[in-house]
Amino acid sequence: MINPVLSWALPIAMFLLSLAMFCCLVRIVRGPAAQDRVLALDCMYLNGMLFMLVLGIYYSSSAYFEAALLIALLGFASSTAMAKFLLRGEVIE
């Protein structure tokens, strides 16, 4: 049984995380520099991971937590690769 406070807090959190992901998408499209786009992509994968965690709490399923861990690992690796590319111009030396 879900807590009464969680029954209204989780949908609000999902809506706000979706709104934050939309704002990041706008920054990715309109970003004036590549650094802005990379930062927006980092923020977007972080919000996506948090959205998956909220869904895991909402549906009481551990599969969402595993998906959130996978998003975190891939997001960290991709942001590291993009930062290295922006600094040196190549990812693999």
Side-chain angles (χ1 to χ4, degrees):
M1 185 73 186
I2 196 165
N3 190 345
V5 175
L6 286 178
S7 66
W8 61 268
L10 290 177
I12 291 172
M14 286 189 278
F15 172 73
L16 291 176
L17 286 169
S18 299
L19 184 66
M21 288 176 68
F22 178 74
C23 291
C24 290
L25 183 66
V26 169
R27 178 50 58 194
I28 288 173
V29 172
R30 295 188 59 211
Q35 291 85 0
D36 293 327
R37 289 184 171 99
V38 169
L39 187 63
L41 193 62
D42 283 343
C43 185
M44 193 170 197
Y45 93 77
L46 183 69
N47 286 327
M49 180 193 65
L50 292 174
F51 190 83
M52 293 299 281
L53 289 174
V54 171
L55 279 176
I57 294 170
Y58 188 75
Y59 291 121
S60 300
S61 175
S62 64
Y64 291 103
F65 296 111
E66 293 172 6
L69 181 63
L70 185 65
I71 289 171
L73 289 172
L74 292 176
F76 175 74
S78 67
S79 64
T80 304
M82 285 186 285
K84 189 173 180 183
F85 177 74
L86 287 176
L87 285 175
R88 297 186 185 164
E90 60 184 351
V91 178
I92 300 172
E93 297 176 0

